[in-house]
Amino acid sequence: MATDLKAPLEKIQLPSDQDATGRELGDDEMVALAEAIESGTLTSTKGKFVKRLEEEFAAYMGVESAYACSHGTAALHTALAAIDPEPGDEVITTAITDMGALTPILYQSAIPVFADVDPLTYNLTAETIEKAISPKTKAIMVTHLFGNPARMGEIMELARSRNIPVIEDCAQAFGAELDGVKVGAWGDIGCFSLQQGKHITTGEGGIVTSNDPDLARRMYLFINKAWGYGDAKPDHYFLALNYRMNELTGAVAVAQMQKLGDFVERRTRMAAQLTAGLSDLPGLSTPAVDANAKHTYWKYCLRVDGDKFEGGIDGLAKGLRERDILCAPRYIQKPAFECQVIRDQRTFGNSRFPFTLARPEAVDYSRDKFPGTYEALASVLVLPLNEKYTDQHVNYVIDSIRDAATQLFKG
Ligand SMILES: *Cc1c(COP(=O)(O)O)cnc(C)c1O
């Protein structure tokens, strides 16, 4: 790892998950796609690819049911609709997530209630969730941020003791495990995204999973306008949307699915190399992973002690960007409750619904309620990672970080 500080590193271009350099999309996807097109059946209600994806994904996860849908956001909406909150019911979640995990709560007339996160793992814990529970809590939505599993053992123990269903947002955590059981199979419902930048991709897409036959049935119906396909007297049973995945997407997803295990292993191997190459650097911490957990590294994050570097975390990020490493200090920049949709309650017309039904405490976003959240965002430096990184790319990232961190370190 020794770096000669006098000789600047030769820059190399890192693969990007936004295009072919960082996404393994090729012949397998083309063949499946051609087959879908030639079949002339592009709807999943009649085709075979989406059904095959659902069967294979359920088997991969070790769960009873999986249903494909249009987006990760649709998957989370489907999960909430299956739980079916009363207007004004509360869903406990994290403020460090994709907005696509939060707007479905509002569309189902429920109130997102934010619990604080552990600033070392960036995840909710049983302790922070417990503080946010109220008589109106209808569900808990746990995000396994960056691919690092939240402590589901403790969270499920709490949730079961209070009889509250748990939705796991696994959009960033394909293949992640706790005690050998995949995340998404711990709670009542697992939700996944196939968006451009996730572990496997179809550009846009989603999957929901469950072991509970009633929840699975309601999810199937919600994706299908609640039309009872195959029933003796089918009808539109309740308010629902068309969130189906189409066969073109399903064909690409089936091809990607065959590679998922390999992608997950590659990411964990590269992350281990990064950790080995960076763990001795002062002022930086490599990811905090529990002994019983398998982190699958949607991104590789460093925790930065900003006081130790010239220009703080932004100075270090600038140093890496100058070396063409497109890192993101502070991830989403601010907690989700500081975004206009939530902060200003911009929902349906001027109604502010469903926030009009919220307990004052549930929409109190005072800074002192979220010390872990603010600390996590202030200290996280997100490094890109994808399945196309070679050893050369990983070593370049290590050398660049060592180089920048050493130059900017103040002590
Ligand atoms: C990507 C993502 C989503 C939303 O998925 P889309 O497919 O983009 O709608 C939700 N939650 C998390 C944690 C995500 O990373």
Side-chain angles (χ1 to χ4, degrees), residues 186-355:
W186 282 81
D188 298 274
I189 297 173
C191 297
F192 295 82
S193 165
L194 303 175
Q195 184 266 340
Q196 176 74 37
K198 303 296 161 79
H199 284 75
I200 53 172
T201 188
T202 55
E204 306 287 351
I207 307 177
V208 289
T209 62
S210 187
N211 277 316
D212 179 318
D214 296 332
L215 288 175
R217 172 71 179 159
R218 275 193 69 88
M219 291 201 290
Y220 169 81
L221 287 169
F222 190 72
I223 291 167
N224 287 285
K225 296 176 263 186
W227 178 253
Y229 285 97
D231 287 1
K233 288 185 181 167
D235 194 0
H236 293 285
Y237 300 131
F238 55 83
L239 183 65
L241 296 157
N242 179 353
Y243 271 162
R244 285 194 287 265
M245 180 181 280
N246 67 64
E247 286 287 288
L248 302 173
T249 303
V252 176
V254 164
Q256 286 276 289
M257 184 64 216
Q258 314 311 311
K259 305 173 183 175
L260 175 56
D262 180 42
F263 290 172
V264 164
E265 291 322 310
R266 280 197 234 172
R267 281 174 182 266
T268 39
R269 197 166 59 237
M270 294 181 299
Q273 287 172 270
L274 287 166
T275 295
L278 298 170
S279 53
D280 64 319
L281 284 175
L284 299 177
S285 306
T286 54
V289 189
D290 289 344
N292 68 338
K294 177 175 175 177
H295 184 331
T296 58
Y297 298 95
W298 175 59
K299 305 283 178 190
Y300 184 94
C301 295
L302 289 170
R303 199 158 48 80
V304 179
D305 182 349
D307 296 341
K308 299 273 168 64
F309 296 96
E310 212 69 63
I313 191 169
D314 295 304
L316 186 61
K318 186 162 164 282
L320 295 183
R321 287 184 154 263
E322 279 163 6
R323 290 159 175 86
D324 287 344
I325 296 173
L326 301 180
C327 59
R330 303 176 220 286
Y331 183 41
I332 55 169
Q333 308 308 313
K334 58 187 181 187
F337 50 72
E338 289 186 13
C339 293
Q340 288 174 44
V341 51
I342 296 172
R343 186 194 64 194
D344 302 339
Q345 306 184 341
R346 298 266 176 82
T347 53
F348 304 98
N350 291 317
S351 71
R352 295 176 32 247
F353 181 86
F355 288 110

Side-chain angles (χ1 to χ4, degrees), residues 71-73 76 97-98 100-101 143 145 169 171-172 193-195 198 204-205 298 331:
H71 302 84
T73 304
L76 288 149
T97 186
D98 186 280
T143 305
L145 205 68
D169 182 349
Q172 305 181 357
S193 165
L194 303 175
Q195 184 266 340
K198 303 296 161 79
E204 306 287 351
W298 175 59
Y331 183 41

Side-chain angles (χ1 to χ4, degrees), residues 83-121:
I83 287 169
D84 201 21
E86 294 297 324
D89 279 351
E90 298 173 1
V91 178
I92 294 173
T93 186
T94 169
I96 308 182
T97 186
D98 186 280
M99 192 51 77
L102 302 175
T103 46
I105 301 172
L106 297 167
Y107 271 100
Q108 285 309 112
S109 305
I111 312 295
V113 175
F114 297 99
D116 202 14
V117 301
D118 175 346
L120 304 187
T121 63

Side-chain angles (χ1 to χ4, degrees), residues 9-87:
L9 285 170
E10 182 125 13
K11 278 193 204 174
I12 63 170
Q13 195 80 44
L14 292 169
S16 163
D17 64 17
Q18 298 304 295
D19 59 44
T21 61
R23 303 273 68 179
E24 212 161 279
L25 294 160
D27 290 347
D28 299 336
E29 287 75 10
M30 293 288 265
V31 167
L33 189 55
E35 192 184 331
I37 291 170
E38 281 159 10
S39 78
T41 304
L42 302 187
T43 171
S44 59
T45 57
K46 302 288 189 308
K48 68 174 199 187
F49 283 104
V50 169
K51 282 192 188 71
R52 194 175 142 201
L53 171 68
E54 292 171 343
E55 283 164 18
E56 291 190 4
F57 199 73
Y60 174 79
M61 287 295 297
V63 298
E64 287 295 315
S65 310
Y67 295 113
C69 57
S70 60
H71 302 84
T73 304
L76 288 149
H77 193 180
T78 298
L80 281 157
I83 287 169
D84 201 21
E86 294 297 324

